[in-house]
Structures are given as structure tokens and as C-alpha cells.
Amino acid sequence: MSGSRGRVGRIRQQHEGTILKAAEHVFARSGFQGATMAEIALRAGMPKSNLHYYFGTKVEVYRAVLAHILELWLAETDRFTPDADPREALSHYIEAKMRLTAERPDASRVFANELLHGAPEIGDYLRGALRALVADKSVVIRGWIAAGRMAAVDPEHLFFSLWALTQTYADFETQVGAVLGRSNLGPADYRRATDHVLNLVLRGCGLMPPAAIEEPPCST
Amino acid sequence: MSGSRGRVGRIRQQHEGTILKAAEHVFARSGFQGATMAEIALRAGMPKSNLHYYFGTKVEVYRAVLAHILELWLAETDRFTPDADPREALSHYIEAKMRLTAERPDASRVFANELLHGAPEIGDYLRGALRALVADKSVVIRGWIAAGRMAAVDPEHLFFSLWALTQTYADFETQVGAVLGRSNLGPADYRRATDHVLNLVLRGCGLMPPAAIEEPPCST
DNA sequence: GAAAAAATTGACCATATGGTCAGGTTTTCA
DNA sequence: TGAAAACCTGACCATATGGTCAATTTTTTC
């Protein structure tokens, strides 16, 4: 019986999930324009008209996929607090981002595609929530720098760098794979990539990695 | 009279240039699927049928644009030689990449879009020329590291990082702009971005930037 | 200056694709 | 159990778009 949103469409709930999953896959590969409702429907295992029953238009599906992704993005934030250890905070953030990239590459790709085309759907999010979040964290980082706890690095640009360094492994997996001589990246590749990014960024911020240059920084 | 390719189509030469320029713009904004021949033609200032006179199909235009871009990409390479100064070589590479990104953002975006969609057209280039180039340079870098001239950084991944760090300013300009509170990036932004990337990477490789900011974290 | 080659163009076509809809089936719930 | 709500689907339509073509004009060349 009801509840917050209880019995409202048991089937709907489930099928919307299936559709979103299928759509993410298709949008990641073909972009918004390239994706077809027919293909999404096929992948979701239902006739096109049924897909249209759940989502009236293609943009609606697309928006839902993006909203779903933004939820993920925003979830894994805070450790950037004035009292935190900079190395700890950065390491954690990088590891989280890399894990997300490895686990949900399609999400990253849909997001990248949206940005690449001028972010027609998520411009508000970028100028709103995201900007505020970065502004907040930047204050903290500037504090760390002023206190001599890390090297002087532009905080805003540091975020751009972190995003770029991590998401490149999903967005441009083809390129990375081609250069490394594989058709796609496996867990070992992601492990190596994470180590590399950690090494580069921590050192770049004047924070030596836990176990210097030789030993893998283990941890998780 | 000829010559290498002399009198062959004076008009053709010129119009193909115009078309390529228009096409780069349109492909950068809409991707391959999203771009329409009509829009390219409009931007090039000629009727669609005339466009088809120069390039039979849309893929042909697209391939030409990509070829044009790869030319640019490959031009600005070498300084990575065994005897070179690592700091010098890296700085030069970063600055060149950033300049290219600032001057030809659309080229970067078309390339990014192609990669994002699995590089159907330039897969051979990636697995061929690019892979070989990176392999070459990686040997040099490993030499530098072995000689203790820079910190131990995975050379292949270093390249991925350099590409990501620089091209992010073109590919995801919308995001960067939104976070910085601008609608698009100006020369000052690019200058700041370049400084940041130089700072982060050089320090990250154990090579202090020329004018040190804090404490030189020694070499290794 | 005329014939040949190159360039130009509007009209037209085939197809793909987003979206609609009327009618049918299943599920829910009093 | 029966009616209302939710769900399903094949057939259909309108439009956008890549591409063709025959006829015409401009440029080159001898």
C-alpha cells in the first residue's frame, strides 16, 4: 500500500531500470544523435512502442540517464576538510574516481559526450552544484597550501586535472588500449593506471607517495 | 603544365580547404552522426550538391577532416632524445600541446569524439603510427629514469596523462568554463592552465619548474 | 574563340527514424 | 470477481537527411 512511492508501478520501476541500463550502453557508443530508440528497445528486450510507453521521447531517456549518472558523480565527494590530511584526501579521491571509471566506463562516456557537445542538458548542473562544490573544496585546498601542507597548486585546475587524468581511461579507452596493444583494459591495467596517477599527482602536489618510488603503494 | 600537383583544380584546392574548415567546426559540435551535410554546406557557403561534388559522401568529408588533424598531431613531436634535458623536453611538449589545444580546439574535439566512439576510422593510426611513436619515446624516458635524471614514472601512462591534461581544456571547455564562471576560455585562462599543468607534471616527474614555488622536493 | 574540362545547382528520391495510436492483455484491488 | 488501472504492441505516419542527376555555367586550354 503506498508509502513514499510504494506500490506505484512495480513493473514500471523494474523496466525503467532495464531501459536506463540499455540506454546508457547505447548512448555511450553512439552519442545522443547516433543512438536510436530502436536499438535501445532491442537491447532492453522490448518493442519500441513499449519503450515509448515508459519514456515519451528520446530526450527524456537521455535526461534520465544523465540524472542517473550525476547521482553517482556527486555521491563520492567529501574528504576535503580543513583538518584532513591532504595526501589522504587526494589519494582517496583519486582511487574513488578510478574505481568509478573502471566500473562504469559507459557512464563516463555518456557524460563526456554531453560535455563535448556543449552540455546542452546539464549546463545548469555544471554552473550550479558542480561549480559550488569545486569552490568549496578549493577554499579548503588553499588553506592547506597556505599552511604549507602541500605545494602551491591551483585548486580549480587541480580538479580539472584529476577529472581528466582518471576519466581518460574510460573515455579514450580505445586510444589507451591501442597504445598498450590490447583491445580493452583489464583490472591489471586499471591498477597500473591508478598507481601512476597517484604517483604523478601526489608528487606533483609535493606529497610523496606512502611507499616511495619502488614499492607499489598497496593500501586497498 | 603540372609539377607535383600543379594546375590540378585551382578552385578545387581552395574550396576543399573551405569545406574542411567548415566540416571541422560542424563535426566538433555535433559529432559524426549529428553533423549534417546541409549544415556543412551552409557554413562553407555553397549548396549541398556542390559539396557532394567535392566529397562524394559524408564519411569522405569526415575522413579528410581526421587526416588533416592527424597531420597536425604528428608534426609537433621530437625533443624526446636520450641526450635531451628531461625538463626541457617535457616543458616543450606540454607547451606545444597546450598551444595546439588553444588554437585548434575543434580539431581536438573531433578527435575526442572519434575516440569516444571507438575510433572506427583511425583505429589503424592508433595501433600503428601512434603506438610506435609512444614505444620509441618510452624507451628514451626509461633511459632518463634509469640514469636518475627524473623520478620513476610509467612512460606510457605519462603520455596518456599529458594528452588528458592538455586536451581536456578543449574537449571539456564547457565544464571548465562553467566551473570558472565563464562562457568560454580566453588567453589568460590558457596561460594559467599551461602554468598549472607544467607545474603539476614537472613536479610530478621530480623536475622542479624553473622558478620554484616552494621547497624543491629534491630529485628522486 | 571554340572545344573540352571543371564547377555549379535545383529538383528529386530512398531510407531511416522518432513518434503516434487504437485496440488488446495483464495486473491490481475493492 | 469484476472493473479500473497499468501495461503491451503491431501498424502506421511525418520528417529529416544522405545522396543522385541532368542541365547549365564557368574556366581552362590549344
Side-chain angles (χ1 to χ4, degrees):
Chain A
M1 310 276 139
S2 85
S4 55
R5 220 204 148 193
R7 174 81 28 275
V8 177
R10 195 189 85 249
I11 298 181
R12 187 175 204 97
Q13 207 84 15
Q14 184 184 329
H15 281 194
E16 282 185 359
T18 314
I19 291 172
L20 253 41
K21 202 173 155 191
E24 183 177 287
H25 181 94
V26 174
F27 282 129
R29 262 148 205 77
S30 315
F32 175 71
Q33 309 250 20
T36 74
M37 291 298 267
E39 200 183 341
I40 295 173
L42 182 71
R43 200 174 174 85
M46 62 182 65
K48 201 177 53 147
S49 17
N50 202 10
L51 173 53
H52 275 286
Y53 172 73
Y54 288 106
F55 294 91
T57 69
K58 190 167 143 183
V59 211
E60 265 177 65
V61 187
Y62 185 61
R63 289 212 187 98
V65 170
L66 283 176
H68 196 240
I69 291 173
L70 290 189
E71 244 174 84
L72 273 183
W73 253 231
L74 281 177
E76 40 90 15
T77 36
D78 289 74
R79 292 247 180 162
F80 289 77
T81 58
D83 299 327
D85 175 33
R87 177 162 71 208
E88 177 86 19
L90 270 174
S91 300
H92 180 81
Y93 187 74
I94 289 171
E95 271 160 10
K97 269 280 174 205
M98 280 300 271
R99 207 174 315 121
L100 211 53
T101 298
E103 278 166 14
R104 300 281 307 267
D106 279 342
S108 182
R109 287 190 265 259
V110 173
F111 191 78
N113 195 64
E114 165 74 4
L115 289 181
L116 198 51
H117 294 3
E121 301 295 337
I122 60 168
D124 288 342
Y125 159 78
L126 297 180
R127 285 180 294 270
L130 184 65
R131 189 184 174 192
L133 187 145
V134 171
D136 265 14
K137 303 307 167 199
S138 292
V139 171
V140 174
I141 293 178
R142 271 184 241 280
W144 291 343
I145 294 171
R149 300 175 64 196
M150 63 177 280
V153 174
D154 186 300
E156 280 87 5
H157 285 266
L158 178 57
F159 275 102
F160 304 149
S161 293
L162 292 174
W163 299 336
L165 287 169
T166 51
Q167 288 173 14
T168 199
Y169 288 100
D171 303 343
F172 307 137
E173 177 177 12
T174 311
Q175 189 177 35
V176 173
V179 168
L180 293 182
R182 324 195 190 334
S183 60
N184 52 54
L185 304 182
D189 294 311
Y190 271 107
R191 176 118 181 58
R192 195 174 181 84
T194 305
D195 287 348
H196 162 78
V197 173
L198 277 171
N199 186 27
L200 187 74
V201 172
L202 291 182
R203 200 191 294 268
C205 291
L207 308 160
M208 281 306 290
I213 300 169
E214 290 299 335
E215 285 296 312
C218 60
S219 77
T220 333
Chain B
M1 299 277 143
S2 86
S4 53
R5 224 203 145 193
R7 179 71 35 273
V8 176
R10 193 188 86 248
I11 297 179
R12 185 172 208 101
Q13 207 85 14
Q14 184 185 328
H15 281 196
E16 282 186 357
T18 313
I19 292 171
L20 253 42
K21 202 174 153 190
E24 184 178 285
H25 180 95
V26 175
F27 282 129
R29 262 148 206 76
S30 316
F32 175 71
Q33 310 248 20
T36 74
M37 291 297 268
E39 199 184 342
I40 295 174
L42 182 70
R43 198 175 175 84
M46 63 181 67
K48 203 178 54 150
S49 16
N50 202 9
L51 173 53
H52 274 287
Y53 172 72
Y54 288 106
F55 294 91
T57 70
K58 190 167 143 183
V59 211
E60 263 177 65
V61 187
Y62 185 62
R63 290 213 187 98
V65 170
L66 282 175
H68 195 240
I69 291 174
L70 290 189
E71 244 174 83
L72 273 183
W73 254 231
L74 281 177
E76 40 88 18
T77 33
D78 290 75
R79 292 247 179 162
F80 289 76
T81 59
D83 298 329
D85 176 34
R87 177 161 70 205
E88 177 85 22
L90 270 174
S91 301
H92 181 80
Y93 187 74
I94 289 171
E95 272 159 8
K97 269 282 175 202
M98 280 300 270
R99 206 175 313 123
L100 212 53
T101 298
E103 279 165 14
R104 301 283 306 268
D106 279 342
S108 182
R109 288 190 264 258
V110 173
F111 191 77
N113 195 65
E114 165 75 5
L115 289 182
L116 199 50
H117 294 3
E121 300 295 337
I122 60 168
D124 288 343
Y125 159 77
L126 297 180
R127 285 181 294 270
L130 184 66
R131 186 182 177 194
L133 187 145
V134 171
D136 265 15
K137 303 307 166 197
S138 292
V139 171
V140 173
I141 293 177
R142 271 184 239 280
W144 290 343
I145 293 171
R149 300 175 65 194
M150 63 178 278
V153 174
D154 187 300
E156 280 87 4
H157 285 265
L158 178 58
F159 275 102
F160 304 149
S161 293
L162 293 174
W163 299 336
L165 287 169
T166 53
Q167 288 174 14
T168 198
Y169 288 100
D171 303 343
F172 307 136
E173 177 177 12
T174 309
Q175 189 176 37
V176 173
V179 168
L180 293 182
R182 323 195 191 333
S183 61
N184 53 55
L185 304 181
D189 294 311
Y190 270 109
R191 175 120 184 58
R192 197 173 181 83
T194 306
D195 286 348
H196 163 79
V197 174
L198 277 171
N199 186 26
L200 187 74
V201 173
L202 291 182
R203 201 190 292 269
C205 291
L207 308 159
M208 279 307 289
I213 299 171
E214 289 290 348
E215 283 294 313
C218 64
S219 52
T220 327

